[in-house]
Amino acid sequence: MDPSGVLLALEEQKKWRERRKRIHDRIRQLDRRRSLLKKELDGVRNKIVQYGRVLIDLQLGARAGTTIPSIGPGR
């Protein structure tokens, strides 16, 4: 292989290493974002469960004939 071919091969190798590094960095970034969004989704799901329980309690209270305190405009 002539010297210019060797230099070209080394440049190509360097280019592909840099590209691979950028791809790995982007994958790590996306993994971090995915874990953050997963935690946020879990939190939202927990809130849904909590509000569902509150709603059921309110419905059961209304059926039992108990009065449910209303929240006035001042609160």
Side-chain angles (χ1 to χ4, degrees):
M1 195 176 230
D2 62 49
S4 64
V6 170
L7 288 176
L8 182 63
L10 289 173
E11 288 175 10
E12 284 293 314
Q13 188 178 41
K14 182 181 175 185
K15 180 180 80 173
W16 284 106
R17 281 184 184 149
E18 290 171 357
R19 183 168 192 258
R20 184 176 27 191
K21 183 183 180 303
R22 283 192 313 270
I23 290 170
H24 285 296
D25 290 343
R26 180 67 176 149
I27 289 170
R28 277 197 302 272
Q29 181 185 25
L30 291 172
D31 284 342
R32 284 191 303 267
R33 177 132 174 89
R34 180 177 42 203
S35 68
L36 179 88
L37 291 172
K38 195 173 187 179
K39 287 178 187 176
E40 189 176 337
L41 180 61
D42 289 342
V44 169
R45 286 180 175 153
N46 287 336
K47 285 291 182 184
I48 290 171
V49 169
Q50 288 175 356
Y51 289 136
R53 289 179 184 151
V54 168
L55 182 61
I56 289 171
D57 289 344
L58 290 174
Q59 289 172 345
L60 291 176
R63 286 188 193 146
T66 59
T67 58
I68 300 169
S70 63
I71 298 174
R75 284 185 100 181

